[in-house]
Amino acid sequence: MPLPPEKLTRIIVNTDAKNEADDQYCVVQALLSPSFELHGIIPAHFGTRRTTRSMEESREEVDLLLDLMGLSGKVTVANGAAEALPDETTARPSPGAELIIREAMKDDPRPLHIAFLGPLTDMAAALLMEPRIAERNVRVVWIGGGRWPVGGSEFNLSNDIHAANVVFKSKVDLWQIPMTIYQMISVSYAELFEKVSPQGKLGAYLVDQLIDFNTRFHQGPIEYRSLGDTPSLSVIMNPNGGTWRYEAAPEFSPLMNYVHTGRNRPVKVYDTIDVRFILEDMFAKIARFHRGEQETAVFS
């Protein structure tokens, strides 16, 4: 049965969808979660290591997933910034940042959750464009940052250190899922062949593109991948499905180390995630969707 509006979780998903091969699983799971009121998907850039049009490639991947699911035209897709912030005071305006501002400024008693699966560029841009959203009922859930308390090189952070500093220095509610946690959400090829590949065109695509990515970019033998973006949904769907601590928000050096100034408000840092819950939920939803039994999120 459809949930009443007050029982739905307001959410936006910001995704560098063509960066690797795990965003796709997270986006699909968000689309198939009937407790979500999905206000939109924001395709994000992922730097210039492999392409000069990374945001556009993320947009194309989001559009492909929606087409495979028969959801084209039913979900708001608002492009994010094509590049990182040039500094900590200059925004990169985009339709994605405008979507964040619009939803954050709505008078709604329910928190707005924004899941960032890549860089924090669009959140930082939104904060710079409309600083009042830092005082609104907004929860930023970020997959990113290195090992606490030292930090160091981490891909999502590397693609916009300025943006991370803007967000971490702000007053917005922030939940961080660092690299040490998201790397532990691994699935094997055998598991994917059994549970995802048989689930129609969508399932076959999800597995094929993952194996293709590993074959092209991973050095050496491999038969697994971390679905490292799915914890962002886990902590939204099941806030007690993990352990965490509160720490004064650090800042980031150019080398991506944490700089513990003690000046900033506390942020929620996750130490563990209920891996069984989030992976089994995803496998079940994909299978049920293939059988025509799974409801989708509410799209607004």
Side-chain angles (χ1 to χ4, degrees), residues 136-268:
R136 305 292 289 181
N137 195 5
V138 174
R139 292 174 182 163
V140 174
V141 182
W142 182 44
I143 301 288
R147 179 186 299 273
W148 273 75
V150 177
S153 181
E154 191 275 325
F155 187 81
N156 289 344
L157 173 60
S158 73
N159 283 324
D160 202 335
I161 299 172
H162 291 314
N165 276 325
V166 170
V167 176
F168 273 69
K169 291 178 184 178
S170 76
K171 295 181 180 180
V172 72
D173 189 11
L174 176 61
W175 299 357
Q176 182 192 6
I177 301 170
M179 179 174 65
T180 44
I181 307 308
Y182 72 68
Q183 286 181 330
M184 303 304 292
I185 319 297
S186 295
V187 292
S188 71
Y189 288 1
E191 186 175 23
L192 293 175
F193 288 144
E194 285 293 310
K195 297 181 178 179
V196 180
S197 284
Q199 313 306 330
K201 291 182 179 179
L202 175 65
Y205 175 73
L206 289 172
V207 177
D208 289 349
Q209 61 87 33
L210 182 148
I211 294 174
D212 175 68
F213 181 89
N214 276 358
T215 301
R216 287 186 294 124
F217 293 108
H218 191 275
Q219 295 182 352
I222 189 171
E223 55 176 280
Y224 76 94
R225 183 137 201 104
S226 170
L227 301 186
D229 291 315
T230 58
S232 64
L233 302 185
S234 180
V235 301
I236 296 172
M237 295 170 64
N238 179 14
N240 293 320
T243 60
W244 65 86
R245 65 189 188 277
Y246 282 95
E247 300 279 359
E251 297 168 19
F252 297 95
S253 75
L255 295 177
M256 291 179 277
N257 295 116
Y258 295 116
V259 180
H260 300 282
T261 66
R263 294 193 296 256
N264 304 315
R265 54 70 178 94
V267 296
K268 190 176 187 179

Side-chain angles (χ1 to χ4, degrees), residues 3-22:
L3 294 170
E6 66 272 14
K7 296 292 186 180
L8 296 173
T9 299
R10 300 179 67 215
I11 184 172
I12 294 170
V13 176
N14 185 288
T15 171
D16 54 345
K18 196 58 177 175
N19 167 44
E20 295 186 72
D22 54 326

